[in-house]
Amino acid sequence: MNVIVKPPFRREAMRIAGKLVQTDDIVEVFHPYDNSVVGTVPAARPEHVRDAFAKARAFKPKLTRYERQQILQRTAEILRDRKEEFARLIVAETGLCWKDGLYEASRAYDVWSFAAQLTIRDDGEIYACDISPMGKARKIFTTRTPLLGVISAITPFNHPLNMVSHKLAPAIATNNRVVLKPTELTPLTALALADVLYEAGLPPEMLSVVTGNPSTMGDAMITDPDADLVTFTGSVRVGKHIANTAGYKRVVLELGGNDPLIVMEDADLDKAAELAVAGATRNSGQRCTAVKRILVVNAVADEFSKLVAEIAKTLKSGDPLDPSTDVGTVINERSAILFENRVNAAVELGAEVLHGAPRQGALFAPTVVDHVPYDCELVREETFGPVIPIIRCPGDIAEVIRISNSTAYGLSSGVCTDRLDYINRFVTELEVGTVNVWEAPGYRIEMSPFGGIKDSGLGDKEGVVEAMKSFTHVRTWSMPWT
Ligand code: NAD
């Protein structure tokens, strides 16, 4: 296959209740590999955000379950049919490689299709009341209702289609209205997705997309009087700002991760090394659940790190639009410089680089670093790029668990062992939202509950099933029943 052609330059407008809205000021969107401008979006002011929420609030969604199912499934099918078009847009604005772009477009199909299948299911419950001496001949029924107000959705750059889909699909499945603010770094995919939804039959008042600089209009997304719930995926810093600013509103926070892959002495080391490299480098290492630390016990560390370096050397880092590239760029040069500095600082503390390449702009090749001190910045903070840091641990599971739990994060984890006693302890004692045995921390299906604790989130889960719950109120009603 030849090099993929970048999509034509897009001068985008916002979508406010389906209307195209421009502003005088714009934000440029860059292709990180060559810094070319691939498009522009309007720089909204707070009054644009207010207008979007007011229009959404004024509209009362009345879609039946059947109608919602049809819109969601049509959206899934359009995305499947235009997978390559979306992948091109993702690659253009993120610098992720073509393989990652295609993978993301396929995942998004699942999100929309699962939401379509779940929207026709009624999860109401019935409680009989004649179950105690004080009981009565009545029944209490539960039903889930959409929010009275509007959902404010704020999304990150690393999955410009999938993260947005995880907010919008459950919202539509539950008959909610949404104002979405995609990141200013990768807003083009979100705008293209909004058009697909309108095409699939979504009443335009149910979805607005506003764009711009968060310093100007970010707080308007958090404090709007018509926003009942703020659902945010992004960094801990911004997540905590939202928690402090939102006031009397529901907030769903899906924040950063610092996920370990743990390799015990009984592990099949070839299999573990494959998981380590893929988990740390897919999506240029820019997944909240990427492998960000590898904890390997001393007894097998020499052999394991050799295998990791061998596999990492087979990965091709380079032009994201070349279909044979395995790892594209990170989001921008500033981030790449940060990772470079953190690797250098770890080396000063005794770590050893087993494989890597000089940084070129935003291109930061997979970098294997062995003997990383478990508490240095490279692994204590979230390093959101394709670094593969190996931390050698004593062969004592309590110590492995202590090191794993030593960061502020608690999103997910992967564990390479067949020993049930170890598995039992990891599942019980790791301070995380997910433990995947013999899988990378990022493994999930788009429907299963997903989300972290500690600084990684407040414990609310995403995934279509849980998001549909968090975007609704449970109403109970009762009546006489013999
Ligand atoms: P970010 O926090 O910088 O930005 C996320 C969003 O917040 C963007 O839309 C941005 O414009 C907006 N924002 C920034 N300041 C704001 C403000 N003051 N008010 C309102 N909105 C504001 O995050 P990012 O760099 O785009 O994304 C990477 C981060 O996201 C990583 O930490 C990653 O782990 C995390 N992430 C978490 C999950 C998860 O499910 N837990 C999934 C994907 C990414």
Side-chain angles (χ1 to χ4, degrees), residues 154-158 163 181-184 214 218-219 222 232-235 237-238 241-242 254-257 288 292 382 384 411 450 456:
I154 305 175
T155 52
F157 73 79
N158 61 317
M163 287 294 114
K181 190 202 85 57
T183 165
E184 63 285 6
D219 280 0
I222 309 168
F232 170 79
T233 301
S235 64
R237 182 185 62 80
V238 178
H241 169 72
I242 290 174
E254 306 294 340
L255 310 181
C288 52
K292 304 213 174 87
E382 179 183 39
F384 210 53
L411 191 55
F450 168 78
S456 296

Side-chain angles (χ1 to χ4, degrees), residues 43-47 49-50 53 152-154 179-182 184 210-224 227 230 232 238 241-242 245-246 249:
R45 294 183 299 277
E47 54 267 33
V49 176
R50 179 78 277 278
F53 276 99
S152 170
I154 305 175
V179 175
L180 167 73
K181 190 202 85 57
E184 63 285 6
V210 292
T211 55
N213 291 308
S215 55
T216 318
M217 42 76 88
D219 280 0
M221 289 292 298
I222 309 168
T223 56
D224 192 278
V230 182
F232 170 79
V238 178
H241 169 72
I242 290 174
T245 313
K249 288 188 197 312

Side-chain angles (χ1 to χ4, degrees), residues 59-101:
F59 181 77
K60 300 280 172 264
K62 295 222 163 45
L63 297 173
T64 64
R65 286 177 191 273
Y66 172 71
E67 287 166 336
R68 281 176 265 159
Q69 184 215 33
Q70 293 293 298
I71 292 166
L72 293 162
Q73 190 55 35
R74 244 177 259 141
T75 302
E77 280 157 21
I78 297 173
L79 286 176
R80 185 187 55 201
D81 295 346
R82 298 184 199 156
K83 189 166 98 172
E84 301 216 338
E85 203 179 298
F86 270 88
R88 279 210 302 164
L89 209 45
I90 292 168
V91 172
E93 63 178 354
T94 59
L96 292 174
C97 70
W98 179 243
K99 292 176 191 174
D100 287 335

Side-chain angles (χ1 to χ4, degrees), residues 35-55:
N35 265 329
S36 55
V37 179
V38 290
T40 61
V41 294
R45 294 183 299 277
E47 54 267 33
H48 294 106
V49 176
R50 179 78 277 278
D51 184 40
F53 276 99
K55 291 208 163 80

Side-chain angles (χ1 to χ4, degrees), residues 46 112 116 127 151 227 275 311 327 358 374 395 451 453 470 474-475:
W112 292 93
Y127 293 79
I151 292 175
L275 286 176
I311 299 171
V327 184
Y374 79 91
I453 55 173
S470 68
V474 177
R475 178 168 300 167

Side-chain angles (χ1 to χ4, degrees), residues 117-442:
Q117 294 170 64
L118 288 164
T119 198
I120 56 175
R121 196 183 63 148
D122 190 333
D123 64 355
E125 295 174 329
I126 306 172
Y127 293 79
C129 301
D130 58 345
I131 59 167
S132 82
M134 300 83 79
K136 285 190 176 177
R138 297 183 65 80
K139 278 187 200 270
I140 296 172
F141 301 81
T142 72
T143 187
R144 285 188 177 269
T145 60
L147 304 183
L148 290 177
V150 180
I151 292 175
S152 170
I154 305 175
T155 52
F157 73 79
N158 61 317
H159 289 297
L161 182 60
N162 205 44
M163 287 294 114
V164 174
S165 297
H166 268 288
K167 307 287 184 206
L168 299 188
I172 294 165
T174 48
N175 240 346
N176 276 293
R177 297 141 292 173
V178 187
V179 175
L180 167 73
K181 190 202 85 57
T183 165
E184 63 285 6
L185 300 172
T186 62
L188 303 175
T189 308
L191 290 163
L193 175 62
D195 290 345
V196 169
L197 278 158
Y198 298 148
E199 183 183 335
L202 184 74
E205 297 85 350
M206 284 177 73
L207 173 64
S208 290
V209 186
V210 292
T211 55
N213 291 308
S215 55
T216 318
M217 42 76 88
D219 280 0
M221 289 292 298
I222 309 168
T223 56
D224 192 278
D226 285 326
D228 272 13
L229 179 149
V230 182
T231 174
F232 170 79
T233 301
S235 64
V236 176
R237 182 185 62 80
V238 178
K240 288 192 174 175
H241 169 72
I242 290 174
N244 290 331
T245 313
Y248 192 64
K249 288 188 197 312
R250 286 162 70 175
V251 287
V252 176
L253 301 174
E254 306 294 340
L255 310 181
N258 197 350
D259 293 352
L261 184 79
I262 297 176
V263 184
M264 298 304 282
E265 70 282 350
D266 67 301
D268 172 337
L269 296 183
D270 289 308
K271 209 164 126 191
E274 289 283 351
L275 286 176
V277 175
T281 58
R282 292 245 173 94
N283 224 57
S284 295
Q286 299 169 133
R287 295 182 72 178
C288 52
T289 51
V291 171
K292 304 213 174 87
R293 300 176 286 155
I294 301 159
L295 275 47
V296 58
V297 293
N298 282 324
V300 292
D302 284 346
E303 194 186 341
F304 175 75
S305 58
K306 216 169 84 205
L307 290 169
V308 167
E310 274 167 21
I311 299 171
K313 280 178 192 160
T314 65
L315 293 179
K316 181 173 165 194
S317 148
D319 186 349
L321 291 161
D322 177 343
S324 68
T325 296
D326 299 302
V327 184
T329 69
V330 296
I331 190 64
N332 50 34
E333 182 169 14
R334 192 162 52 87
S335 302
I337 292 172
L338 173 71
F339 309 149
E340 190 179 35
N341 290 341
R342 285 185 178 173
V343 168
N344 291 340
V347 169
E348 276 173 30
L349 294 170
E352 188 188 336
V353 174
L354 301 185
H355 172 68
R359 180 185 61 77
Q360 295 166 45
L363 194 64
F364 184 90
T367 303
V368 182
V369 197
D370 196 0
H371 295 281
V372 176
Y374 79 91
D375 54 356
C376 72
E377 191 185 342
L378 181 67
V379 286
R380 192 185 65 238
E381 299 302 329
E382 179 183 39
T383 299
F384 210 53
V387 184
I388 314 173
I390 300 174
I391 300 168
R392 295 177 176 228
C393 304
D396 167 11
I397 184 166
E399 194 51 15
V400 174
I401 290 171
R402 188 190 68 76
I403 293 172
S404 183
N405 289 342
S406 68
T407 78
Y409 299 86
L411 191 55
S412 185
S413 60
V415 169
C416 301
T417 180
D418 291 323
R419 279 184 53 170
L420 256 187
D421 57 335
Y422 284 170
I423 293 171
N424 204 334
R425 286 198 64 179
F426 287 132
V427 171
T428 317
E429 295 176 43
L430 290 179
E431 296 169 349
V432 290
T434 296
V435 178
N436 285 328
V437 180
W438 279 118
E439 252 306 345

